Amino acid sequence: MEMFALDDDVAGWEAALPPLRGQARLAVLLPLAWHLRQRDSARAGLLAGEALALLAEADTGAVTPAVADVQAPTNVPASTDADAATNAAPATTRRQAQAARLHLVRAEALWLDGELDAADALAEQAWGALCAAAEHAGCADAHWLRAWIAVDRGDHRRRDAELEQAAAAAVRAGDRQRETIAEAALARWAVLHDRHRAAQRWSARFAADRTGHTDNADNADNSNNADTDTGAAVWINDYLGLSASLASDFGAAAGHYIRCYEAALRSGQLRSAMTAATNIGEDFTILNDLHSALEWMQCALDLARPTGWPRSVGACLMHTADAMRRLGRLDAAEELLQEALAILAPLAGARSYAIALQYLGELALDRADYARALDAFVQLEGRAEVLGHPDFGTVARRGQAHALCFLGRADEAQQAALQAVRLASEQSNAANHIAALRVMAIIHTRHALPAPAGMSALNATLHYLQQALAVAATIDGYTLPGDLLDALAREYARAGSYAQAYEAALAASAARDQTHSQEATNRAIAMQVHHQTEHARAEGQHHRELAAAEARRAELLQQTGATLERLSAIGQEITTHLERDAVFQTLDRHVHALLPATTYAVYLSDPAGLALRRAYAVEAGRALPAETVDGEPAPDDPHAEPLRCLRERREVALDGADGGPSALCVPLLVGERALGVMTVRAAQARAYGERERLIFRTLCAYGAIALDNAEAYRQLQDAQAQLVSQEKLAALGSLMAGVAHELNTPIGNSLLIASTLQQKTDELETALNGAGLRRSELAAYVADAQKATRLVMRGLGSAADLVNSFKQVAVDRTTEQRRMFNLQQVVHEIIATMMNRVRGAGHAIEYQVAEALAMDSYPGPFGQVVTNLINNALLHAFSRERPGRMWLSASTPLEGRVQVAFRDDGGGIAPEHLTRIFDPFFTTKLGQGGSGLGLSISYNIVTTLLGGQIHVSSSGHGTTFTLDLPLVAPEHDPAKPAAIYH
């Protein structure tokens, strides 16, 4: 039995199982249960139980040996050499080894569910049976599982011993794949203890180029090409990724982890796939690419949440919490982190719990709860000593120093920070080195301490900040965090170096724009929609395959071609619908056409699977009201059978022989999930024979698929509506960031002039109190003061105008209230708030609007339309090489109406795209800043809320959008202002 199998092999076993009966099922049940152990652990447990029952039946002699010792069907994946060795053993010994492997399946499910003691006991029992049967590959698998149980317990000495025994057992079995996997896991943990020593031992064994062709692993011979095997590639790339991360080569680390993630999914190693996804997100977090980090964290959570595996869910939650913290969403981070700590509490010895302690300390620092932070980092230091992982020791000392600094314990803080700097340098961990140097800078800012030896900077704080910048320059792809540059700007200003302070402040703003940019947000939104759409498409394909499988089963049982053809066509019709009511009505029509039915009903299950709600019912042509069914109904209650059908997950049939009606109740199942129950009743006795029951089962299978598709489609629509709302909020956030950036110039200039005036005033005072003040000096001072006053007034006046414009635009955007407004003034305010982005891109914009043009309408939504048109032009119309121009004008061609024209001199819109530009999520810049929502939102605003029309015309040399609007907007229901955006 191979340790891991690819999805195609698993599909082969799935297809081979349904027609088999009795002992013949064993040959497929064994590999299928084994290779589903992480893909679908619940179903793997059910299949293992069935296989164990068949093995017990064979041991009692209830079947002949010739039947008990069946061979695998010819259409399933071939056996390995290890399987051949097992098959050559005596029948009783072979069955004992097979039973032991099935117990390993159950033990792995217990481990994944966090039941470590029960998992270890069952794995030990299986190991004893496998050793007695001399099944060395199985012994290696038992040691492998027990190693990971030890990991979650925090028993790392036993972990290493189990992995070494797994490798030795694999060597005895002649299984190169298992040996490689065990050695790669040993290397992975060795890296955390001593990276340099691990590299000396393992680098030649697992060179990066030996995993560069894992895509061809499907055809690899596991005995000769284990290093390119997909299952082994997971662990080799995991080791290489961890080694690169600890060496601060985060770009290379992410590449290895991505290969690890892809190989893990293909080979059914879901827990490893989740770990790889969180590690990728962590690498992007360190590089300050927070949107990419959250994208991978979400990917990991999507894998983990359906499983309910505590260690995996907890790890995903805590890493997501840290990315949220770095984005400034402290409340969301606190909620996720507390949930993660509660889940991981029974696994307090594991490395993942230590990471959660680190994130708890970081969050407490951001919340200025320094006592709580100190406690978390002290606990982390204790865990670092137990685990023997020096990276945690560095983080713990740095975190303690940060907390002690703000608790007034300066000397202790300095000693702890110096230790953190030294440890990070010794470990060549650039990320931890930067963090420790920043804490040293904070300590010297808050406390009067002796300057460091060899200091050449203006002060000690700048000395350590400049060292942090030097270390950051060694990390490929690293984006300097805005708060580090802000600290640098503040310190330069305090030291009187205003030019350097201004440059650092500009760099901080640019860095913040890069890590929190509108383009990054749009890219994340577009990728999320794309991911959801592809997921829905894949689900639909999977469901269609399930429907086809059900049709094939019907063909084998019924052998009636005409009925099968009709059912297949019916199934296609049912699963085409994406609205639940349409599915109900289609099912109703076909049930009454194919079966005798007085009453037809569909019940949907509650989330716990204990109660039902009658969602659709028809009796004698009359619709019945919705009704909830729970508790224990009386035996003669017509709801008793549907509730029993749900709870027992099996078909319930009444033949009506006792004088009652005939009835059928069939659970609506998708995989292992029960969506509800479908029932049909007829007044006559024995109305439902085998043929009718087969037809009804088939309709129920199609109905379950269609209802699941409808629910998935509804969730996708809700997600898209949420994304539209996020686009609107993101636009206002971008507006705020642009205004803040635009204010930097006048306020910065005013600050510089004011500081210069202060210096001259101090000089004047010195002269006045000294030998004497000459008239020419006083006159020069007065002239400078007047000139400085005019410049300061001009700069502050510009800033005040911009703030007033932004205030009005922001109020309009957030309230969306109707009011009378001057169109020229609103256009001026909108363009003023956008001017920073337009100028920053090297373009220009002009507007021409009559002064007396008044409107009774919605200035906020109108402003959003104009903003979206400007953003659309900046993204799509112009190239980086050539500056562009934009014009906005308004005229009144007809009484009571205004025509607003926005045009640019860019590259124009391709003719084939002109009819689609207002479609939701249509964009030619997917993944490059375009979300496909801006023009769709603008179209909805103009045609609904503002009561007008929007048109577009384009050639190869520019594009013009024309808005035809009434001066008085139509009346709308004030209780539904958001409807226009959907």
Side-chain angles (χ1 to χ4, degrees):
M1 187 82 66
E2 290 182 353
M3 193 171 185
F4 302 109
L6 301 180
D7 291 336
D8 289 344
D9 293 338
V10 176
W13 287 309
E14 289 276 22
L17 183 64
L20 301 178
R21 295 291 179 269
Q23 293 289 318
R25 291 172 65 82
L26 262 178
V28 177
L29 281 172
L30 287 165
L32 185 57
W34 175 249
H35 292 298
L36 285 177
R37 63 194 190 277
Q38 286 194 22
R39 287 178 168 96
D40 187 343
S41 55
R43 183 157 180 262
L46 293 174
L47 296 176
E50 181 185 351
L52 285 167
L54 290 172
L55 288 170
E57 181 181 88
D59 281 334
T60 61
V63 295
T64 65
V67 176
D69 302 336
V70 294
Q71 298 300 312
T74 58
N75 61 336
V76 299
S79 301
T80 63
D81 293 341
D83 294 328
T86 301
N87 292 334
T92 301
T93 302
R94 182 168 67 254
R95 287 194 294 272
Q96 289 174 350
Q98 292 169 339
R101 184 170 288 282
L102 293 167
H103 287 309
L104 276 184
V105 172
R106 290 181 161 180
E108 186 157 340
L110 291 168
W111 162 62
L112 293 169
D113 287 334
E115 297 179 34
L116 303 184
D117 291 338
D120 201 23
L122 192 55
E124 183 177 15
Q125 174 188 336
W127 171 78
L130 290 162
C131 289
E135 218 279 80
H136 300 302
C139 290
D141 295 339
H143 285 303
W144 172 260
L145 176 57
R146 298 186 76 187
W148 289 101
I149 294 170
V151 167
D152 284 356
R153 281 177 166 165
D155 188 352
H156 295 284
R157 181 173 299 177
R158 182 187 161 195
R159 172 206 66 208
D160 290 342
E162 293 286 352
L163 288 173
E164 288 170 357
Q165 291 180 67
V171 171
R172 289 193 296 273
D175 193 310
R176 181 69 168 162
Q177 183 200 53
R178 284 178 166 86
E179 179 190 358
T180 300
I181 290 172
E183 289 183 350
L186 278 167
R188 176 220 205 267
W189 291 105
V191 164
L192 290 169
H193 289 283
D194 189 330
R195 180 171 63 84
H196 300 292
R197 182 177 297 176
Q200 291 173 0
R201 179 179 177 186
W202 302 105
S203 289
R205 175 71 177 86
F206 300 121
D209 60 351
R210 302 181 75 180
T211 59
H213 303 285
T214 55
D215 289 342
N216 297 326
D218 301 26
N219 300 319
D221 181 337
N222 291 337
S223 63
N224 300 318
N225 298 292
D227 292 294
T228 59
D229 175 77
T230 303
V234 173
W235 299 97
I236 296 173
N237 278 293
D238 183 56
Y239 155 72
L240 294 170
L242 184 57
S243 182
S245 290
L246 293 176
S248 300
D249 192 355
F250 302 108
H256 289 303
Y257 282 132
I258 288 171
R259 288 190 286 274
C260 171
Y261 170 81
E262 293 170 348
L265 288 182
R266 288 202 302 274
S267 57
Q269 302 182 65
L270 260 64
R271 176 157 154 166
S272 295
M274 298 169 202
T275 302
T278 57
N279 285 337
I280 296 166
E282 181 66 13
D283 285 332
F284 279 118
T285 298
I286 293 172
L287 292 172
N288 289 313
D289 186 352
L290 300 181
H291 291 293
S292 296
L294 282 173
E295 193 175 300
W296 278 101
M297 300 304 184
Q298 185 62 52
C299 180
L301 272 173
D302 289 344
L303 285 174
R305 281 197 183 279
T307 68
W309 301 339
R311 187 268 182 192
S312 299
V313 174
C316 295
L317 289 172
M318 71 182 182
H319 285 295
T320 305
D322 188 56
M324 290 287 190
R325 175 189 68 81
R326 292 172 185 256
L327 277 170
R329 301 180 59 186
L330 301 186
D331 290 337
E334 180 80 33
E335 182 179 348
L336 289 171
L337 193 53
Q338 291 302 329
E339 183 181 355
L341 284 165
I343 293 172
L344 294 172
L347 309 173
R351 177 176 170 86
S352 53
Y353 190 82
I355 297 173
L357 285 175
Q358 173 187 340
Y359 292 163
L360 182 65
E362 306 283 12
L363 180 61
L365 289 176
D366 284 359
R367 287 186 175 276
D369 189 347
Y370 300 110
R372 182 188 182 199
L374 181 60
D375 179 66
F377 285 116
V378 168
Q379 291 185 58
L380 178 62
E381 186 174 20
R383 294 305 310 149
E385 293 174 0
V386 172
L387 294 169
H389 294 171
D391 56 330
F392 283 147
T394 306
V395 173
R397 297 304 292 157
R398 183 258 301 165
Q400 291 173 39
H402 197 158
L404 289 167
C405 170
F406 285 86
L407 291 172
R409 297 156 65 177
D411 292 334
E412 294 174 71
Q414 185 181 30
Q415 290 303 313
L418 286 171
Q419 290 180 30
V421 170
R422 176 180 55 80
L423 290 171
S425 179
E426 291 173 355
Q427 297 160 16
S428 301
N429 191 315
N432 285 344
H433 199 176
I434 293 169
L437 289 168
R438 291 182 66 188
V439 171
M440 284 296 300
I442 291 171
I443 294 170
H444 278 272
T445 299
R446 294 189 60 86
H447 301 283
L449 296 170
M455 185 182 80
S456 60
L458 295 174
N459 56 41
T461 301
L462 282 172
H463 171 77
Y464 288 111
L465 289 175
Q466 289 169 355
Q467 285 189 353
L469 291 175
V471 175
T474 66
I475 305 177
D476 289 337
Y478 185 81
T479 299
L480 286 171
D483 54 348
L484 187 152
L485 292 167
D486 280 335
L488 196 66
R490 286 194 300 270
E491 206 55 37
Y492 274 128
R494 285 179 56 191
S497 183
Y498 298 107
Q500 290 176 294
Y502 185 65
E503 290 176 3
L506 289 178
S509 178
R512 198 170 287 107
D513 285 345
Q514 184 173 351
T515 56
H516 298 71
S517 66
Q518 177 65 36
E519 287 78 9
T521 301
N522 287 342
R523 182 164 57 252
I525 292 171
M527 291 180 68
Q528 184 179 359
V529 172
H530 178 71
H531 171 73
Q532 290 172 333
T533 303
E534 289 301 314
H535 179 72
R537 185 179 295 118
E539 284 288 319
Q541 178 64 28
H542 176 63
H543 292 157
R544 284 192 292 273
E545 291 172 358
L546 288 177
E550 186 65 25
R552 288 193 297 271
R553 189 172 72 89
E555 183 179 18
L556 289 172
L557 296 175
Q558 182 61 23
Q559 297 181 356
T560 305
T563 302
L564 176 62
E565 184 177 352
R566 185 175 181 184
L567 286 174
S568 180
I570 290 170
Q572 291 179 9
E573 179 185 356
I574 293 170
T575 55
T576 298
H577 294 293
L578 291 175
E579 297 291 341
R580 197 178 67 179
D581 290 342
V583 175
F584 290 153
Q585 294 168 9
T586 305
L587 285 168
D588 182 13
R589 175 161 48 84
H590 288 296
V591 165
H592 282 88
L594 294 171
L595 301 172
T598 305
T599 305
Y600 165 72
V602 179
Y603 297 80
L604 297 181
S605 170
D606 69 339
L610 300 176
L612 289 170
R613 181 178 61 83
R614 188 170 67 188
Y616 181 88
V618 174
E619 185 175 59
R622 179 176 59 87
L624 300 179
E627 186 178 359
T628 300
V629 183
D630 56 11
E632 294 296 335
D636 57 348
D637 189 322
H639 299 315
E641 288 81 18
L643 200 57
R644 180 157 60 97
C645 175
L646 173 71
R647 292 175 179 175
E648 297 179 5
R649 299 282 186 95
R650 66 178 182 86
E651 180 181 315
V652 175
L654 301 177
D655 61 9
D658 57 357
S662 300
L664 277 177
C665 300
V666 175
L668 297 171
L669 299 176
V670 175
E672 297 299 321
R673 291 184 295 120
L675 306 183
V677 175
M678 201 158 88
T679 70
V680 64
R681 289 176 177 268
Q684 63 270 37
R686 297 183 177 86
Y688 305 118
E690 184 58 33
R691 175 183 177 278
E692 288 75 20
R693 293 170 71 171
L694 172 62
I695 291 173
F696 193 61
R697 283 188 216 115
T698 305
L699 291 175
C700 289
Y702 289 135
I705 293 167
L707 290 172
D708 196 45
N709 280 344
E711 177 62 19
Y713 180 68
R714 184 193 65 78
Q715 292 176 357
L716 180 60
Q717 287 181 313
D718 291 345
Q720 289 177 341
Q722 183 180 3
L723 290 174
V724 170
S725 177
Q726 290 174 353
E727 170 80 4
K728 179 185 171 189
L729 293 175
L732 186 58
S734 177
L735 174 69
M736 188 184 312
V739 170
H741 192 281
E742 187 74 7
L743 287 172
N744 278 345
T745 299
I747 293 178
N749 290 340
S750 299
L751 179 61
L752 184 60
I753 294 166
S755 63
T756 303
L757 183 60
Q758 182 183 14
Q759 181 181 350
K760 288 183 177 295
T761 302
D762 292 340
E763 293 172 356
L764 181 68
E765 183 182 13
T766 301
L768 184 62
N769 295 331
L773 178 66
R774 293 195 298 271
R775 182 181 183 85
S776 59
E777 292 175 335
L778 180 60
Y781 171 77
V782 170
D784 288 343
Q786 290 174 338
K787 184 177 180 181
T789 302
R790 286 195 301 272
L791 292 174
V792 169
M793 290 300 294
R794 184 191 308 165
L796 294 180
S798 298
D801 289 343
L802 189 58
V803 169
N804 288 333
S805 296
F806 171 69
K807 285 169 59 180
Q808 186 58 60
V809 171
V811 168
D812 287 339
R813 290 284 180 87
T814 54
T815 62
E816 294 181 9
Q817 291 182 352
R818 178 180 185 140
R819 65 180 175 87
M820 289 290 297
F821 62 90
N822 181 280
L823 183 60
Q824 185 195 59
Q825 179 182 353
V826 167
V827 169
H828 168 75
E829 291 167 349
I830 295 166
I831 291 179
T833 58
M834 292 292 294
M835 189 59 70
N836 171 64
R837 187 172 179 201
V838 173
R839 283 203 302 261
H843 307 306
I845 185 169
E846 301 175 9
Y847 68 93
Q848 185 174 1
V849 182
E851 293 183 1
L853 195 53
M855 294 183 70
D856 179 5
S857 190
Y858 299 86
F862 172 79
Q864 185 174 357
V865 172
V866 174
T867 301
N868 287 349
L869 292 177
I870 295 173
N871 284 332
N872 184 71
L874 292 175
L875 180 62
H876 296 277
F878 307 124
S879 66
R880 295 184 178 179
E881 294 77 16
R882 187 180 69 85
R885 298 180 65 83
M886 294 169 281
W887 297 268
L888 187 146
S889 62
S891 61
T892 53
L894 297 175
E895 184 177 354
R897 302 194 72 82
V898 61
Q899 191 173 85
V900 179
F902 176 85
R903 65 185 179 91
D904 62 67
D905 62 353
I909 301 173
E912 63 270 21
H913 295 155
L914 277 173
T915 59
R916 301 186 59 196
I917 61 171
F918 295 121
D919 292 348
F921 305 107
F922 172 75
T923 178
T924 59
K925 296 283 188 178
L926 182 63
Q928 303 174 46
S931 67
L933 293 172
L935 291 181
S936 174
I937 291 173
S938 300
Y939 180 86
N940 287 336
I941 292 174
V942 170
T943 58
T944 56
L945 188 65
L946 302 183
Q949 296 292 326
I950 182 170
H951 306 282
V952 61
S953 61
S954 181
S955 64
H957 302 287
T959 300
T960 300
F961 287 90
T962 304
L963 282 60
D964 184 5
L965 305 173
L967 292 174
V968 179
E971 295 294 334
H972 295 283
D973 183 356
K976 300 179 179 179
I980 63 169
Y981 299 114
H982 297 283

